Amino acid sequence: MAQEHDVVTERPDAVRDATGQAREAIEQGRTSLGIELGSTRIKAVLVGPDHAPIASGGHDWENQLVDGHWTYSLDAVWAGLQDCFAALAADVEERYGVRPATFGAIGVSAMMHGYLAFDGDELLVPFRTWRDTTTEAAATELTDLFGYNIPLRWSVAHHYQAMLDDEPHVPRTTYLTTLAGYVHWRLTGRRVLGVGDASGMFPVDPATGTYDAAMLAKFDDLVAARTPGTPGARLADLLPEILPAGADAGALTAEGADLLDPSGTLRPGVPLCPPEGDAGTGMVATNAVRPRTGNISAGTSIFAMVVLEGALERHHPELDLVTTPSGDLVAMVHCNNGASELGAWAEVFRELSAAVGGPSDADTVFEALFRSALAGEPDGGGLLAYNHLSGEPIAGLSEGRPTIVRTPDSRLTLANLMRTQIYGVFATLSLGMRVLADEGVAIDTMFGHGGLFRTAGVAQRMLAAAIGAPVGVGQAAGEGGAWGMAVLGAYRRSGGGRSLGDYLAAEVFAGAAVDVVAPDAADVAGFAAYLERYTAGLAAERAAVEALPPYRTTQENAG
């Protein structure tokens, strides 16, 4: 596993002092460990008492399409977590000469939503991820029932769809949770969930910080009407207990310590903060937990989170209503498809560079491609790039067909190709952000985070054009949600009764450097022209879904 090392620019004596302080914090357990299970990478970030990252580790993994559902096996979950933790421990030992045996706090985050159904400790069906778009009938019916948007990927949509499909596991189900909730349960024995992650399982009432009681009653009545005379568990009894940020969410058990660190070095007893979804850690990582702030997380999926000052006028299919890790109402624009297709093109060019004897490391090639996009024409020169590897509800696509479309008079250059690939990441998001603008939602600044923003000034500039608002990127933007989860762990340990917003402002982001880019007029006009063509061209995407069945290898066809 490749180690991730920060470039050191301080003078040697300052480096020695910082190294000694970090070693002391590690030995005394004054650190916080954040772990996030993303769609393509499990990442761990260790922070010191000042919340600055001091070590990291990672593990690459990929979802699988099995029997029509996107999934990861639980064996892959634990193998990945153990490899990630081992990489972190090795990084700590290489940097500071000590192997971590304890921490001040641990926090676990993961991709939100999806469906993990258990009977006791037994997983009843393979984990169904946020990427599934098989729940349209259930989501539509529940949205009409509640008068509240229920997205396809929410846990309650998966659960009700399983009922509609008469799946035999449903009557046996005694517990439903998310991936973060599952890992936390195995580490601590506690069946709890942070309020932000829970709000992607079932609607949460911001006034009470619990699942919406009226909607729970409607759901139970709906289920009873489908199967009269058949006793069934109330939905509330199947869901995790909700906890706000900073709450006591249990401690690492001996079994949990062995699961995370089979070497036996890690000791039990470490306190854990409530497990959260990747949306919540993104808000923390960008200091966007107060009204009129928001953030955009760009990874395998891409989503915008805007903290609201009040309720929206009506529900919109493009917007999910979730909460911050403290329980404040958030409008979420979620797109299933983010930077994966862009990454695939970067890999093609990396292979080309290697074939002709040039640089072959991914970071160098990625940065060169991003820099080339700055020279592209503002509207992409007539090219269109659709990044849909899976279905995209906002675009009206039940399945994905990644496509490049151009007219004969378009200008196919590297610069235009890369600009349109980046535009393609933001295009569907822009369609959803229009709905927020129409609702009159005010945004002072949006903050970007995730690996897409590691090349300074490129994706940030194009995102500003796509949403028509300033975009800020902080120094820790590339660390992403694992760092945000580590900060939530630190808040659990030493928040001192302050609100999460006050804690972040005073202890984490005070004096932090943030680079803010305002929309460029030429880019705004160019993106608007691109988006007009993009919207019209969605007809070609829909035709491709109908005409081209999913690719199967010869071996799969033979099986």
Side-chain angles (χ1 to χ4, degrees):
M1 177 60 60
Q3 303 290 315
E4 298 179 6
H5 296 282
D6 299 324
V7 176
V8 175
T9 58
E10 297 92 344
R11 66 184 189 276
D13 57 337
V15 173
R16 283 193 295 271
D17 289 345
T19 299
Q21 291 169 5
R23 182 190 301 112
E24 185 178 84
I26 293 164
E27 292 173 334
Q28 296 176 358
R30 293 186 292 111
T31 57
S32 176
L33 174 64
I35 302 172
E36 183 157 283
L37 295 95
S39 298
T40 59
R41 185 168 174 78
I42 303 173
K43 186 169 184 179
V45 171
L46 186 66
V47 302
D50 62 353
H51 306 94
I54 57 177
S56 65
H59 171 85
D60 294 331
W61 69 340
E62 276 292 348
N63 53 192
Q64 304 293 322
L65 186 60
V66 178
D67 296 329
H69 295 285
W70 292 101
T71 188
Y72 304 81
S73 72
L74 296 190
D75 287 343
V77 169
W78 292 109
L81 281 168
Q82 290 169 3
D83 186 48
C84 180
F85 185 86
L88 172 95
D91 192 24
V92 170
E93 193 164 24
E94 180 180 338
R95 289 171 182 258
Y96 309 108
V98 60
R99 196 164 184 87
T102 189
F103 306 99
I106 297 175
V108 176
S109 172
M111 58 194 94
M112 285 181 69
H113 317 112
Y115 187 66
L116 280 156
F118 290 89
D119 177 11
D121 292 339
E122 180 189 356
L123 181 67
L124 296 174
V125 290
F127 170 39
R128 297 172 182 177
T129 80
W130 57 271
R131 203 169 194 173
D132 264 19
T133 54
T134 59
T135 60
E136 185 172 0
T140 299
E141 187 174 347
L142 293 176
T143 295
D144 292 341
L145 176 69
F146 297 152
Y148 189 101
N149 188 38
I150 302 297
L152 275 64
R153 64 189 179 281
W154 278 24
S155 304
V156 68
H158 282 276
H159 186 54
Y160 187 53
Q161 188 66 52
M163 292 182 178
L164 295 179
D165 295 338
D166 294 320
E167 294 195 40
H169 77 274
V170 173
R172 295 181 55 197
T173 302
T174 60
Y175 183 50
L176 299 173
T177 190
T178 66
L179 182 56
Y182 163 71
V183 172
H184 183 96
W185 168 34
R186 293 295 308 276
L187 294 180
T188 65
R190 294 280 302 274
R191 293 183 174 188
V192 300
L193 202 59
V195 62
D197 202 6
S199 67
M201 292 194 74
F202 191 87
V204 165
D205 181 353
T208 64
T210 58
Y211 301 110
D212 189 286
M215 294 186 200
L216 282 172
K218 287 183 178 180
F219 183 89
D220 290 338
D221 289 345
L222 174 67
V223 172
R226 285 193 74 253
T227 54
T230 302
R234 297 185 314 142
L235 182 60
D237 295 334
L238 305 181
L239 297 172
E241 176 190 356
I242 294 180
L243 295 176
D248 178 0
L252 186 68
T253 64
E255 179 189 22
D258 288 340
L259 272 174
L260 198 56
D261 179 23
S263 76
T265 303
L266 181 61
R267 300 194 298 266
V270 180
L272 271 79
C273 64
E276 263 300 347
D278 50 2
T281 59
M283 285 185 273
V284 172
T286 53
N287 193 23
V289 299
R290 288 175 163 163
R292 298 176 66 98
T293 63
N295 78 91
I296 290 175
S297 175
T300 302
S301 64
I302 183 169
F303 52 83
M305 309 289 292
V306 179
V307 187
L308 301 176
E309 297 178 280
L312 299 177
E313 290 288 331
R314 57 190 179 88
H315 80 80
H316 302 271
E318 301 89 350
L319 303 178
D320 310 350
L321 291 178
V322 292
T323 76
T324 69
S326 297
D328 295 315
L329 194 63
V330 173
M332 180 180 191
V333 180
H334 184 281
C335 304
N336 283 351
N337 297 278
S340 293
E341 178 68 359
L342 174 61
W345 277 100
E347 174 61 17
V348 169
F349 285 111
R350 188 199 66 78
E351 292 177 5
L352 173 63
S353 180
V356 298
S360 60
D361 64 289
D363 286 346
T364 299
V365 173
F366 196 81
E367 180 166 357
L369 292 172
F370 262 48
R371 294 291 177 204
S372 74
L374 294 175
E377 296 173 59
D379 70 345
L383 277 63
L384 287 175
Y386 294 102
N387 66 337
H388 304 132
L389 287 164
S390 64
E392 191 59 79
I394 291 179
L397 296 171
S398 59
E399 296 181 32
R401 299 294 185 270
T403 309
I404 293 176
V405 181
R406 69 188 188 95
T407 57
D409 58 343
S410 62
R411 290 165 293 283
L412 179 57
T413 66
L414 177 63
N416 283 340
L417 176 63
M418 295 314 301
R419 180 174 280 251
T420 54
Q421 285 292 336
I422 297 172
Y423 276 180
V425 176
F426 298 138
T428 311
L429 182 81
S430 181
L431 297 176
M433 292 294 290
R434 287 179 173 181
V435 179
L436 276 178
D438 292 343
E439 274 270 1
V441 173
I443 306 171
D444 293 332
T445 302
M446 292 291 286
F447 296 92
H449 83 111
L452 199 65
F453 299 100
R454 287 175 59 192
T455 302
V458 181
Q460 181 182 8
R461 170 178 156 180
M462 295 178 193
L463 177 57
I467 65 173
V471 174
V473 174
Q475 291 178 338
E479 294 291 353
W483 178 72
M485 198 66 227
V487 170
L488 283 174
Y491 177 61
R492 153 79 176 88
R493 181 168 55 89
S494 57
R498 288 169 288 181
S499 71
L500 178 60
D502 287 347
Y503 178 82
L504 294 178
E507 303 295 337
V508 183
F509 291 98
V514 177
D515 176 37
V516 179
V517 171
D520 176 81
D523 286 341
V524 170
F527 185 84
Y530 174 87
L531 193 63
E532 185 176 351
R533 294 197 314 274
Y534 180 96
T535 304
L538 285 170
E541 277 287 272
R542 298 185 187 102
V545 170
E546 295 177 4
L548 298 173
Y551 173 71
R552 296 287 185 263
T553 67
T554 302
Q555 184 175 2
E556 288 173 320
N557 287 327

